[in-house]
Amino acid sequence: MPLENTYSEEKDVARSTQGDSFIIKGLSGEHTLEGDISVSGAKNDILKIMAGVLLFEDAVHIENVPDVLDVVALSAILEEIGMSVENIENGIVLKAPKQAHTVLPKDGAKKLRASVVLTGPLLSRYGSVSFPHPGGCVIGARPIDIFIHSFELMGGTYTQDDTHYTLSAPNGLHGADIFFPLASVTATETLMMAAVLARGTTIIRNAAMEPEIQNLAQYLIACGANIQGVGTPTITIVGGELLHAREKTYTVIPDRIEAGSFAILGALSGKQVHITNCNPLHIRSLLDIFDRAGVAYEQDETSLTLREPREPYRSISVRTHEYPGFSTDLQAPLTIFLTQVQGESLVFETLFEGRLRYTDDIVRMGADITMFDPHRVLVRGPKKLIGKDLEAPDLRAGLAYIIAGVIAQGTSTVRAARYIDRGYSHIEKRLQKIGVDIVRA
Ligand code: EPZ
């Protein structure tokens, strides 16, 4: 793994002093991007195994670590609760403490939603956890009722004050038969990990099936956990002892959202864009949309190539869905794509009620988008976009703004780059390599 894929707080500071904006000179719809662009490790994979280290007796070595701010933020929380976090040349090594501090720091935990995943292993191993409402991207209400209810079914007791939720299970958790009303990603990861150290059998029904959950579970199984059914809606876990990594390395899977976003950029502006280090199977739903919209691509097991189109793309209506359906995290980049295709496309965001607000800015750039309600917009295309001064509202919409800036006429500024840096490693440097005129300022 290249050295730039390791992270440090010093680098974080260096990056923020380099500037919190991206300036992009648009291509006015030309297809000139060319070359290879490599996909980093997935933020939503690494954050979960970092929490999962709390289930281990020994140290865990993680490789293919993306250099992103959320990893820095979670590392800081883990250090505060007593974990050791060490940077090494090809990744990071984490070791859980014998006794942890089980009150999560308010400021740290509010920075990212993934902090909620710590609750499962902390409660199950150390008998209690107190935490503030987890933060993260402002894309909707993002409640935690499924977590609380599930912990109660496993024998946890719950109290709440003005700042923290507290769960206790001084004698440990026990297995339970849990039904999730929604297939929540972080709840599946959290309860699956809690169940690994609980007494008896836990069944999670209507579990989420994302590839990151599967990668996490496969590693836990390799290190001694008894988990069955991962990748299906019913997961069964038989609880046991602390796990042992015994020097088995955790390899973070390629970021499917980054791969999908690069593919959309390639479809919009590519002469020939070759996306490497990815797993096209993980974006099968996007490739199906491409097939129906007329986007030509070639794929093998680890790469995807997009070429200049021979004819205009066709409109297509999409709805976001839990994996393997079309990911909500790709909804904003895809909506940018739909502004450039012929005809009307309906976008139905089924998961988060705040995740279409960014379309106001795309309308300012010249797109024809009508919002019916917080979950549905109609996009009419094709419309030429004009460069504007924009502020990234969150991580995924932030990258969509960069894509909009690349296809637009004139110059765009995307402010609040810190949101984009949360999940995309040195995005401007990688985009420059395929010919995007983008600088950090
Ligand atoms: C994960 O969030 C991801 N985050 C999100 O990525 C992603 O958008 C989302 O899954 C959906 O794929 C991480 O993995 C850290 P959910 P999560 O619980 O787990 C409702 C990004 O940009 N719900 O699967 O928080 C919830 O409101 C981020 O990287 C409850 O009602 O999402 C939503 O409607 C943004 N009660 C639905 O479930 C609960 O207790 C699914 O959300 C929990 C969730």
Side-chain angles (χ1 to χ4, degrees):
M1 192 188 63
L3 264 180
E4 69 167 28
N5 267 359
T6 58
Y7 75 92
S8 72
E9 290 199 31
E10 290 72 25
K11 276 204 213 159
D12 175 14
V13 173
R15 186 160 30 184
S16 60
T17 54
Q18 275 166 21
D20 194 30
S21 300
F22 293 117
I23 298 174
I24 305 138
K25 287 209 184 94
L27 296 172
S28 299
E30 297 287 313
H31 281 257
T32 59
L33 302 184
E34 203 169 3
D36 289 6
I37 185 161
S38 169
V39 173
S40 296
K43 161 183 91 76
N44 287 344
D45 186 18
I46 186 168
L47 297 178
K48 318 310 170 52
I49 183 58
M50 288 172 76
V53 172
L54 292 164
L55 303 173
F56 284 75
E57 175 96 54
D58 53 351
V60 175
H61 174 187
I62 306 172
E63 64 176 19
N64 197 27
V65 176
D67 185 5
V68 297
L69 296 188
D70 273 9
V71 170
V72 177
L74 186 59
S75 298
I77 297 175
L78 291 174
E79 285 182 326
E80 281 203 45
I81 65 173
M83 199 185 279
S84 88
V85 182
E86 190 195 345
N87 289 309
I88 58 168
E89 199 179 312
N90 62 345
I92 52 176
V93 176
L94 284 75
K95 185 160 188 313
K98 290 234 160 5
Q99 295 294 324
H101 182 62
T102 57
V103 181
L104 297 189
K106 194 168 157 214
D107 291 345
K110 280 196 161 302
K111 273 193 199 162
L112 71 164
R113 174 78 179 177
S115 63
V116 75
V117 180
L118 294 171
T119 61
L122 278 174
L123 179 61
S124 170
R125 176 167 181 177
Y126 302 99
S128 75
V129 60
S130 293
F131 58 105
H133 195 82
C137 288
V138 185
I139 54 179
R142 309 193 82 182
I144 58 161
D145 54 306
I146 298 175
F147 297 78
I148 303 289
H149 180 63
S150 305
F151 284 136
E152 286 181 328
L153 289 175
M154 295 180 77
T157 55
Y158 164 70
T159 54
Q160 187 184 344
D161 64 21
D162 289 348
T163 57
H164 281 75
Y165 307 100
T166 298
L167 286 151
S168 318
N171 301 318
L173 295 171
H174 57 70
D177 190 330
I178 303 168
F179 183 85
F180 283 173
L182 290 158
S184 163
V185 174
T186 43
T188 301
E189 293 157 339
T190 304
L191 273 298
M192 179 176 79
M193 291 202 278
V196 164
L197 297 184
R199 284 186 310 283
T201 301
T202 299
I203 303 174
I204 303 174
R205 301 182 196 271
N206 198 24
M209 302 187 281
E210 271 64 5
E212 295 77 18
I213 303 173
Q214 299 185 37
N215 196 40
L216 173 68
Q218 276 152 14
Y219 183 75
L220 300 180
I221 293 166
C223 298
N226 183 340
I227 305 174
Q228 281 166 26
V230 171
T232 78
T234 307
I235 303 179
T236 305
I237 307 110
V238 181
E241 302 294 309
L242 286 177
L243 306 179
H244 291 96
R246 296 205 173 89
E247 301 192 0
K248 275 191 269 313
T249 300
Y250 187 96
T251 305
V252 178
I253 58 171
D255 193 318
R256 64 197 159 93
I257 307 305
E258 193 173 279
S261 304
F262 292 164
I264 289 168
L265 178 64
L268 287 172
S269 305
K271 187 159 192 245
Q272 181 170 320
V273 172
H274 185 220
I275 302 160
T276 59
N277 296 328
C278 65
N279 184 345
L281 271 183
H282 290 170
I283 48 169
R284 186 66 185 78
S285 56
L286 175 68
L287 298 181
D288 174 65
I289 291 169
F290 277 1
D291 289 340
R292 288 185 288 138
V295 176
Y297 60 88
E298 288 142 40
Q299 60 175 313
D300 61 26
E301 275 176 20
T302 58
S303 76
L304 196 58
T305 306
L306 281 297
R307 288 180 210 281
E308 193 169 352
R310 296 214 182 89
E311 51 192 49
Y313 297 139
R314 297 181 288 274
S315 63
I316 175 163
S317 290
V318 294
R319 57 187 291 162
T320 61
H321 196 281
E322 296 83 1
Y323 188 84
F326 179 63
S327 172
T328 173
D329 293 342
L330 279 171
Q331 178 261 107
L334 190 79
T335 301
I336 306 301
F337 171 80
L338 296 175
T339 65
Q340 302 306 301
V341 310
Q342 190 73 46
E344 292 187 346
S345 311
L346 183 71
V347 178
F348 186 1
E349 166 56 59
T350 63
L351 280 105
F352 296 108
E353 68 280 10
R355 228 175 186 184
L356 284 167
R357 284 191 208 124
Y358 71 89
T359 54
D360 286 351
D361 278 335
I362 310 305
V363 169
R364 274 203 303 123
M365 295 179 82
D368 182 346
I369 301 177
T370 307
M371 184 173 281
F372 295 137
D373 60 50
H375 286 279
R376 290 177 310 150
V377 292
L378 185 72
V379 187
R380 290 184 204 86
K383 286 277 175 202
K384 273 208 170 352
L385 302 187
I386 309 292
K388 289 281 177 212
D389 194 332
L390 308 160
E391 178 158 338
D394 65 67
L395 161 67
R396 308 299 178 189
L399 187 58
Y401 284 9
I402 292 182
I403 296 172
V406 174
I407 62 177
Q409 182 185 331
T411 300
S412 295
T413 301
V414 180
R415 299 184 192 281
R418 59 186 175 278
Y419 289 126
I420 299 168
D421 294 334
R422 287 185 55 171
Y424 298 109
S425 169
H426 304 281
I427 193 70
E428 75 280 22
K429 290 189 185 143
R430 287 184 293 151
L431 291 176
Q432 284 161 4
K433 281 194 194 146
I434 55 168
V436 176
D437 190 336
I438 178 171
V439 290
R440 190 183 283 268

